[in-house]
Amino acid sequence: MRAKMLQGPPTSIPIPRAASVEALASACAVAGAGDAEDAAADHTQRHRAIFLSDIHLGTRGCKAEYLLDFLRTHECDYLYLVGDIIDGWAMRRSLYWPQAHNDVVQKVLRKARKGTRVTFIPGNHDAFGRQFAGLDFGGIAIRLEAVHALLDGRRLWVVHGDFADGVIRHAKWLAHIGDTLYTFALWLNGHLNRIRARLGLEYWSLSQYLKYKVKNAVAFIDDFERVLARETRRHGYDGVVCGHIHHAEIRDIDGLLYCNDGDWVESLTALVETLDGELRILHWPNRPASTIPGPPARRAEPAVVAAPERADALA
């Protein structure tokens, strides 16, 4: 059943320019500062696992404030960062790192210090992290891939998924052109949503709407999903969790569970496994209280697939 919402391995490892590494280091250096907003966790929801990807810290399109609001009100035993957390491509063009992006890094590190098992799986935009695979930094395990066991014992392969993208593998220059056009669409989207915010309307993604209306984009998404499903079956897993295409979804593909956790530049979504073993996509379209007058609407819109009963998660 398809759950709809409104709204191997790399052949080379690029190494980031110094500016990107210095920006990341400066973000982590202040991680010891207290997180005052934790006191506002009255409505905290606890999950067994949370999967996030395609945050794109270091870009103007990143919705860091929305993500911070989500992280403050959702706790978990296992947190998977499924690639493109930091946008090394954008940071090579220009350095953009506001305080909200620092705050996201601090929040994740704070969760790790408080006992959450955090696993970071680099994607194509933060591929510089792949050279550190197998190491742990600040309580965060860096891996090329991971395996998560659902409560009922099914094993999910956790990968970013860029290896299933033919453009990334065979025409990277075209991917960079597409990234530039996508950035422009996000810029237009930002202006539109500033107007919507003044009208008291929730976030809406123009770029995502256009993507669903273009026949070739829909065909690309379907091809991507089927390639990942085929590789997941070949590796002997029961399902896959990925990111990369900015399209949150839970669906069955020929008896195999396919999950995409979406992104934090367009759809503002996370994939969670609840304490009861259900898989849900949570949509977080509401601006945090600091940017909209009145009390925050702490509402998540779930799409659900059941996965009950047993087993521990594997990092």
Side-chain angles (χ1 to χ4, degrees):
M1 179 186 71
R2 184 185 292 254
K4 294 190 176 180
M5 306 189 55
L6 295 179
Q7 10 153 272
T11 55
S12 62
I13 299 176
I15 299 177
R17 292 171 60 178
S20 299
V21 177
E22 289 169 3
L24 178 58
S26 66
C28 295
V30 293
D35 197 351
E37 284 106 346
D38 276 349
D42 296 335
H43 302 86
T44 297
Q45 300 179 44
R46 184 154 196 94
H47 307 285
R48 197 160 175 269
I50 295 177
F51 303 83
L52 302 170
S53 76
D54 298 275
I55 299 171
H56 292 277
L57 294 170
T59 69
R60 298 179 190 278
C62 170
K63 303 300 184 296
E65 294 85 359
Y66 292 80
L67 178 57
L68 277 169
D69 195 53
F70 176 84
L71 291 173
R72 286 171 185 143
T73 53
H74 293 78
E75 296 291 343
C76 59
D77 299 324
Y78 300 88
L79 174 61
Y80 295 91
L81 304 174
V82 195
D84 287 1
I85 306 305
I86 298 169
D87 197 320
W89 292 12
M91 293 177 72
R92 280 196 291 267
R93 294 193 293 266
S94 63
L95 187 59
Y96 176 77
W97 195 272
Q99 183 59 43
H101 294 206
N102 251 8
D103 293 342
V104 169
V105 175
Q106 293 176 34
K107 173 59 78 175
V108 170
L109 289 170
R110 182 172 175 80
K111 285 182 181 294
R113 290 198 304 274
K114 292 171 66 176
T116 300
R117 293 181 61 178
V118 181
T119 303
F120 169 42
I121 300 161
N124 52 298
H125 281 260
D126 47 19
F128 56 83
R130 288 172 173 163
Q131 62 189 311
F132 304 112
L135 302 178
D136 292 11
F137 292 107
I140 298 177
I142 303 177
R143 303 291 186 263
L144 293 179
E145 58 187 50
V147 179
H148 177 76
L150 294 170
L151 195 61
D152 64 358
R154 286 181 295 172
R155 298 190 310 150
L156 300 184
W157 188 31
V158 186
V159 291
H160 180 63
D162 54 301
F163 66 84
D165 183 343
V167 174
I168 293 293
R169 294 186 64 186
H170 304 297
K172 196 169 183 179
W173 62 271
L174 185 58
H176 281 279
I177 293 175
D179 183 60
T180 301
L181 295 174
Y182 179 66
T183 300
F184 177 70
L186 292 177
W187 176 81
L188 288 177
N189 195 61
H191 286 290
L192 173 63
N193 275 286
R194 274 191 284 276
I195 296 172
R196 288 177 62 85
R198 293 191 186 102
L199 297 175
L201 301 174
E202 67 181 28
Y203 178 85
W204 178 77
S205 176
L206 170 65
S207 51
Q208 192 171 55
Y209 172 80
L210 293 174
K211 181 166 61 179
Y212 295 156
K213 292 296 182 181
V214 177
K215 183 178 179 180
N216 287 343
V218 174
F220 167 80
I221 290 172
D222 188 64
D223 290 344
F224 174 88
E225 293 173 346
R226 293 192 175 278
V227 168
L228 265 178
R230 185 185 67 225
E231 287 301 300
T232 301
R233 182 172 285 106
R234 189 172 68 84
H235 282 79
Y237 298 112
D238 301 301
V240 62
V241 176
C242 62
H244 188 60
I245 59 172
H246 297 200
H247 179 61
E249 189 166 26
I250 301 173
R251 62 176 292 203
D252 180 278
I253 301 179
D254 300 327
L256 188 139
L257 182 61
Y258 168 89
C259 305
N260 193 304
D261 55 26
D263 65 277
W264 287 87
V265 294
E266 294 181 77
S267 57
L268 312 184
T269 53
L271 174 72
V272 304
E273 182 192 5
T274 69
L275 296 178
D276 296 326
E278 287 182 327
L279 287 173
R280 299 170 179 252
I281 292 172
L282 301 186
H283 185 206
W284 202 254
N286 305 296
R287 295 175 72 98
S290 59
T291 57
I292 279 187
R298 299 199 180 279
R299 175 173 57 87
E301 300 174 354
V304 184
V305 164
E309 262 130 42
R310 176 199 73 114
D312 294 325
L314 304 176

